[in-house]
Amino acid sequence: MARFDQLENMYDLGLKPVMLRSLIRQYLPAENHPLNLNNSCFELPSLVSIVQTHCLLSELDSQSIDPKLINTWKSAVDDWLSCLLSLLSSDMSDKCWVGICLLGVTCQECSNQRFLSSYSIWLNKLLSHIQPPADSQLVKIASCTSLADLLTRLARFPEVKKDGNLLAGKLIQPVLKLLNEDNVEAVWEGAANLLYALIAFFPASIHHYYDKVEAAIASKILSGKYSTKTLKKLGYCLALLPKAKGDKDSWSLMMQKFMISINDHLNEAFQGVEEEAKSDEARRLLVPPGKDLPLPLGGASFKGTSSERLPTATISTLMFCCCKMLTSSYPVQVTVPVRSMLALVERLLRVDGSLPHTMLPFMTSVQQELICSELPVLHAYSLELLIAIIKGMRRQLLPHSAYIVRIVTRYFKRCSLPELRIKLYSIIRMLLVSMGVGIAIYLAPDVIENASNDLNSLGGEDIETSPANTGPATGALPQLSNRKRKHGAETGSLEEKRDAPSPKVGESNTHQMTPITVKMAALDTLEVLLTVGAASKSESWRSSIDSLLMKTAINSCKRGWGNLESNIFLPHESASVWADFQFSSLRALLTSLLAPARTRPPYLSQGLELFRRGKQEAGMKLAQFCAYALFALEVLIHPRALPLDDFYSACHNSTDGASNRFLENIYSGSRKQNTSFLSDMRRTEQGGVESHDDDLYDRWLQNENENQNENENIPVEDMKDQTSRPNDPSFTNVLEVREQEPAAANADVHMRTENEIVVQPCHLEESVPKSQGVASAKAVMSPAVGTNPEVDGFDHVAGKTSSTLRNAEKGSSSMVHLDSDSSMDSFPGIVDADPDTDADSD
């Protein structure tokens, strides 16, 4: 107790050696005492957790630490290692097993100095337990795992790379013996862990044993008799095996072997459900004419399996190997056989269990049932292969994009299993992100159709909304109702039902509830589609997707926000999944409101109300997102990109075509013109609104007055007279410019200041006073508009003049009369389109 009285807290370094010695006394048995294996199985995880949490083996060595404490800590670690090596030398397998497990933890947690000075000793100790006469399977498995931990730590030190390759070479033959001679599957799994560390970190040690390692692993995979976990670990090692040679020919040869083996197994599995022409076509793609057939995988010729079961495990493992080869790093650049791999994917997805007419006499119902039971697994792995192709190739798949789109869209129409539909949505998202807007144009119709089918399948009572609440101009959410629809309006006659076409395979059934995970995948895909493709040719589908996302967001929140108390009504889905679905729907809705469009968001007010409720009522995660959504949508509610002074003058005096088009589109077509924002601008012009924190408006007016005074050709009185009557109906645009005449013949450009260009027209209509024409030109060339030639993209003088003349020619002579009786509480109108894009439409 005296020692603990001297400790400051649990972070005191003096606690570590004391705690380590206590663990040795409490958990590690003495040399002459037996080990209670049952208690050790429960106590060993606790011991490892304490060692890792408190870093008891790290042995910090610093000048700021007391040298006496360093020596004490080092002595405690020495005692720990002495006890472990004593356990490893024990004849009792249970003691040896505990010592091996703890030595693997020591390899991960000890200091660098301790590891570099002891790793060769530890490796030789562990090596003796995977070689004869070792007979305990438990000890072999633990030794393989600890050796893998040691090699993983050793790979971090480049200075001992050569020595590491020499030590790793000692392990190859013992590992091969474990794979070839041992009949315990758990031992193979441990050997696969060690083999992975050898190939990944010390590939040079495998070079001389390349063919033997391939044959040992391939024999286990082609047998297909073992668990999926073991086969995947072995397949991962086989996929990484070409790294031992490190050249592109080894990678290409291994990939070709995989695909040929898959094709051979598919020929056997699909007998009776596929025409022979399909298999021959796939074979020609795998082995081009004029090239020799490579040796079979593992060096053994293909042997068919029994007709009682399909080689599903072998095919899926080989496809898993192809996926890992495509997504794992490789030291050199290789050529991927994309066309043949896509043909293999298409072949797998085309088979759905139906029998061709020519094969009906040769198939039994038992064989067809067997094939149909295994097809979902094969389809899932074929989609995984397609995902790996997209991940590995990305934009390099552009020449094959049409082929991929055809595969995906055709399978989407027939796929109805939730797991497979989720993978399809994932594939579409990766295609959109990797290939961009070009692929979005072609995928958008099918994505929207399938997403609508999945999201509209509510599986419960429908939402009834009144017409007044569904329009985009209202600010309230639709009123939810639990009333059931009348049977007469819904069902119709029996004759109509009988004559109605049956739904397709991929379409949702209103009597079957689509899983929430599928709906979340559909929402995520629509979100990516809006992010990537909303800015290009989205007019044909934008309104439908906005309406769908708004409806889905309302449906997800109609019974409360995601929490444990309010989601017990879902018998098959947990509350966390439902909260995730709400989060996905709100995130997709926010993307819909923020995505580029030619008109203002039609459901902006409803979305704002929904996010406001979520911020107040939802759980922490949803509330945080709703607060972020309100923050992101603030720019749509209060746009702040237009200068106040020039906005008001352009509304009344300008002949710029862009300004007139801005006025025409300032409100959406489905609602009346909202002029509250323009009324605010008018009150600002009259001095009714003052800002003590922002003097930008005053500086704009000051620059305007200075420019007017410097212009000797335009009397100040005339300018005041023109600005004093902006609403005069007789005030019209009289600046006419013809495109056939050069700009130099129509105007004389004078540079008064750096930021001022004055245009004096040479030919005006006689019926219009000269002051009005100059005022119109002045309004077009307002100094408040950007005059930086680098920003505008025109020349400093001539380019700006020609741009002004083109805009003046497009200007409308009619004025828009503004209503000043708008309410201050209503939302301002949102700009439908960018007013600076009219020059691009020429």
Side-chain angles (χ1 to χ4, degrees):
M1 296 299 296
R3 176 58 188 162
F4 278 91
D5 293 338
Q6 301 175 4
L7 298 176
E8 296 181 1
N9 48 40
M10 66 178 182
Y11 303 107
D12 192 347
L13 294 179
L15 178 62
K16 298 183 184 297
V18 177
M19 187 181 296
L20 186 59
R21 293 185 184 276
S22 300
L23 293 177
I24 294 174
R25 292 191 302 267
Q26 181 179 356
Y27 289 98
L28 300 184
E31 183 177 357
N32 299 327
H33 291 78
L35 178 68
N36 190 343
L37 187 59
N38 293 330
N39 292 337
S40 297
C41 292
F42 293 104
E43 294 175 353
L44 191 60
S46 177
L47 172 61
V48 173
S49 177
I50 295 174
V51 170
Q52 292 177 342
T53 302
H54 295 275
C55 302
L56 299 182
L57 303 177
S58 59
E59 293 184 82
L60 297 178
D61 188 4
S62 176
Q63 297 179 355
S64 60
I65 303 177
D66 187 6
K68 184 177 180 180
L69 177 59
I70 294 177
N71 295 331
T72 304
W73 197 352
K74 181 180 179 180
S75 176
V77 176
D78 290 338
D79 294 342
W80 168 269
L81 290 173
S82 298
C83 186
L84 295 186
L85 294 178
S86 176
L87 292 175
L88 262 71
S89 304
S90 176
D91 296 333
M92 305 174 66
S93 59
D94 52 355
K95 282 188 174 183
C96 187
W97 173 77
V98 172
I100 292 172
C101 294
L102 293 178
L103 185 59
V105 177
T106 304
C107 292
Q108 298 175 352
E109 299 294 327
C110 68
S111 62
N112 292 339
Q113 184 179 0
R114 173 77 67 174
F115 179 80
L116 292 176
S117 61
S118 306
Y119 71 88
S120 59
I121 300 175
W122 298 345
L123 188 143
N124 291 325
K125 286 285 186 180
L126 294 173
L127 178 60
S128 63
H129 291 285
I130 61 174
Q131 292 177 329
D135 55 353
S136 175
Q137 309 297 338
L138 195 63
V139 171
K140 290 180 181 180
I141 297 172
S143 299
C144 290
T145 305
S146 296
L147 282 170
D149 294 336
L150 189 148
L151 293 175
T152 303
R153 177 74 182 275
L154 185 62
R156 303 176 187 174
F157 303 97
E159 62 271 16
V160 294
K161 188 73 173 181
K162 184 177 181 179
D163 189 28
N165 285 321
L166 294 176
L167 293 176
K170 299 180 181 179
L171 303 174
I172 304 300
Q173 290 186 347
V175 171
L176 291 176
K177 287 184 179 181
L178 292 178
L179 292 175
N180 294 325
E181 300 177 2
D182 209 301
N183 296 324
V184 180
E185 184 177 349
V187 176
W188 297 342
E189 186 176 348
N193 293 333
L194 179 55
L195 188 59
Y196 169 79
L198 291 170
I199 298 174
F201 303 116
F202 300 97
S205 62
I206 308 289
H207 190 273
H208 297 291
Y209 303 92
Y210 187 93
D211 295 334
K212 293 182 179 180
V213 173
E214 179 185 341
I217 298 176
S219 62
K220 299 295 184 295
I221 294 176
L222 296 177
S223 64
K225 300 178 181 179
Y226 311 106
S227 65
T228 304
K229 183 180 179 181
T230 301
L231 290 177
K232 281 190 174 183
K233 286 188 175 183
L234 293 172
Y236 205 162
C237 295
L238 191 57
L240 297 180
L241 189 59
K243 284 187 175 182
K245 292 185 177 180
D247 57 343
K248 64 178 182 179
D249 294 334
S250 299
W251 191 95
S252 301
L253 181 60
M254 183 64 72
M255 178 64 76
Q256 189 180 20
K257 288 182 179 181
F258 284 153
M259 297 179 66
I260 291 176
S261 182
I262 293 172
N263 187 72
D264 293 338
H265 283 86
L266 288 179
N267 292 339
E268 179 190 6
F270 289 166
Q271 288 182 359
V273 296
E274 185 185 45
E275 298 178 358
E276 295 183 1
K278 301 296 182 182
S279 60
D280 296 338
E281 180 183 356
R283 186 75 173 187
R284 286 193 298 269
L285 291 174
L286 293 175
V287 184
K291 291 189 177 181
D292 298 333
L293 185 68
L295 293 176
L297 183 64
S301 59
F302 172 74
K303 297 180 181 179
T305 59
S306 62
S307 58
E308 298 179 356
R309 63 182 183 88
L310 293 178
T312 306
T314 300
I315 296 174
S316 59
T317 304
L318 293 175
M319 297 183 74
F320 175 78
C321 294
C322 295
C323 296
K324 292 305 175 183
M325 289 189 68
L326 290 170
T327 55
S328 300
S329 61
Y330 199 68
V332 297
Q333 187 175 2
V334 297
T335 302
V336 180
V338 179
R339 182 66 178 83
S340 56
M341 298 181 75
L342 292 177
L344 181 63
V345 172
E346 185 183 21
R347 181 188 179 188
L348 272 165
L349 297 180
R350 189 187 295 118
V351 177
D352 58 357
S354 60
L355 301 179
H357 295 288
T358 57
M359 298 296 176
L360 288 177
F362 307 99
M363 285 291 293
T364 63
S365 59
V366 177
Q367 292 175 332
Q368 187 179 16
E369 179 183 352
L370 178 63
I371 293 175
C372 292
S373 63
E374 299 291 342
L375 278 178
V377 179
L378 296 178
H379 284 192
Y381 275 96
S382 62
L383 294 178
E384 288 289 343
L385 180 57
L386 184 56
I387 291 174
I389 294 173
I390 299 173
K391 285 182 177 180
M393 302 296 296
R394 297 184 67 83
R395 289 188 178 272
Q396 300 179 28
L397 280 177
L398 194 59
H400 307 275
S401 58
Y403 191 16
I404 297 175
V405 170
R406 184 167 64 250
I407 293 174
V408 172
T409 53
R410 287 180 178 177
Y411 187 66
F412 229 145
K413 297 177 181 179
R414 297 182 288 109
C415 175
S416 59
L417 295 179
E419 293 79 6
L420 300 181
R421 293 187 70 84
I422 292 174
K423 290 183 181 294
L424 278 173
Y425 281 123
S426 176
I427 291 172
I428 292 175
R429 290 196 298 270
M430 285 188 292
L431 286 174
L432 292 172
V433 172
S434 60
M435 297 187 184
V437 66
I439 203 74
I441 298 175
Y442 298 98
L443 286 175
D446 294 279
V447 170
I448 296 174
E449 179 183 359
N450 287 276
S452 300
N453 293 333
D454 290 331
L455 294 174
N456 288 331
S457 177
L458 300 178
E461 298 173 351
D462 296 335
I463 294 180
E464 295 184 0
T465 59
S466 60
N469 291 331
T470 57
T474 60
L477 291 174
Q479 298 297 324
L480 307 180
S481 175
N482 292 327
R483 294 177 298 168
K484 296 183 178 179
R485 297 179 180 178
K486 294 182 180 180
H487 295 283
E490 180 180 358
T491 58
S493 62
L494 295 177
E495 289 78 5
E496 293 176 354
K497 282 186 176 182
R498 190 181 300 111
D499 297 336
S502 58
K504 297 179 181 180
V505 177
E507 293 182 354
S508 301
N509 190 346
T510 55
H511 299 286
Q512 295 180 358
M513 183 175 181
T514 301
I516 294 183
T517 52
V518 178
K519 294 185 178 184
M520 292 170 60
L523 289 170
D524 295 342
T525 306
L526 292 178
E527 180 184 356
V528 176
L529 177 62
L530 286 172
T531 304
V532 175
S536 176
K537 297 182 179 181
S538 61
E539 294 83 2
S540 59
W541 50 265
R542 183 59 187 274
S543 59
S544 60
I545 197 172
D546 289 339
S547 175
L548 176 64
L549 293 178
M550 187 69 243
K551 177 182 176 183
T552 304
I554 295 175
N555 290 337
S556 66
C557 305
K558 68 176 182 178
R559 297 182 182 178
W561 298 93
N563 52 68
L564 294 176
E565 291 76 16
S566 61
N567 284 279
I568 58 176
F569 62 88
L570 285 176
H572 303 293
E573 303 288 346
S574 63
S576 60
V577 175
W578 184 256
D580 292 338
F581 172 60
Q582 289 182 337
F583 182 77
S584 297
S585 63
L586 294 176
R587 188 176 59 191
L589 176 62
L590 177 61
T591 305
S592 173
L593 298 176
L594 294 177
R598 298 183 64 87
T599 59
R600 61 165 294 175
Y603 302 99
L604 178 60
S605 58
Q606 293 175 316
L608 290 172
E609 177 66 16
L610 192 62
F611 289 129
R612 185 190 63 80
R613 292 183 185 178
K615 179 182 177 182
Q616 297 175 352
E617 303 176 7
M620 184 59 65
K621 181 179 179 181
L622 290 175
Q624 289 179 354
F625 177 78
C626 289
Y628 167 76
L630 293 174
F631 171 75
L633 294 172
E634 177 69 17
V635 67
L636 296 182
I637 306 173
H638 302 104
R640 44 182 81 87
L642 297 174
L644 303 182
D645 177 39
D646 197 61
F647 175 81
Y648 179 72
S649 61
C651 292
H652 294 78
N653 301 331
S654 176
T655 59
D656 189 4
S659 300
N660 286 280
R661 188 158 59 87
F662 173 80
L663 288 176
E664 293 172 0
N665 295 322
I666 198 169
Y667 58 93
S668 61
S670 60
R671 59 183 302 181
K672 296 182 178 180
Q673 181 177 356
N674 189 343
T675 60
S676 61
F677 186 48
L678 303 181
S679 301
D680 294 342
M681 299 303 101
R682 183 180 300 151
R683 282 190 287 271
T684 304
E685 176 75 17
Q686 298 173 356
V689 179
E690 296 182 359
S691 176
H692 301 284
D693 299 328
D694 190 1
D695 61 345
L696 184 60
Y697 176 73
D698 295 332
R699 287 191 281 109
W700 280 335
L701 293 181
Q702 182 179 0
N703 293 334
E704 179 74 15
N705 294 330
E706 292 176 359
N707 294 333
Q708 290 176 352
N709 294 330
E710 291 178 1
N711 187 1
E712 299 177 356
N713 298 325
I714 303 177
V716 179
E717 292 77 5
D718 294 343
M719 296 296 297
K720 291 183 179 181
D721 180 70
Q722 295 299 327
T723 56
S724 62
R725 50 186 181 90
N727 293 327
D728 189 357
S730 64
F731 181 75
T732 56
N733 177 17
V734 296
L735 181 60
E736 297 181 357
V737 181
R738 299 181 181 179
E739 296 180 354
Q740 292 81 2
E741 298 177 3
N746 294 337
D748 295 327
V749 182
H750 301 279
M751 294 298 299
R752 295 300 184 186
T753 62
E754 184 180 359
N755 295 327
E756 180 184 10
I757 300 177
V758 180
V759 180
Q760 293 183 351
C762 298
H763 302 285
L764 296 176
E765 298 292 340
E766 296 179 356
S767 59
V768 181
K770 180 179 179 180
S771 59
Q772 292 187 6
V774 176
S776 300
K778 178 67 179 178
V780 175
M781 298 302 297
S782 173
V785 184
T787 58
N788 188 355
E790 298 179 358
V791 178
D792 293 346
F794 302 100
D795 294 336
H796 190 64
V797 177
K800 288 186 178 180
T801 306
S802 60
S803 175
T804 303
L805 297 179
R806 286 197 301 269
N807 292 335
E809 183 182 13
K810 297 177 185 178
S812 174
S813 61
S814 61
M815 294 299 298
V816 178
H817 298 279
L818 305 178
D819 183 11
S820 60
D821 297 330
S822 301
S823 174
M824 287 290 292
D825 297 332
S826 60
F827 287 120
I830 309 300
V831 180
D832 288 282
D834 187 1
D836 297 330
T837 59
D838 59 339
D840 299 335
S841 62
D842 290 343

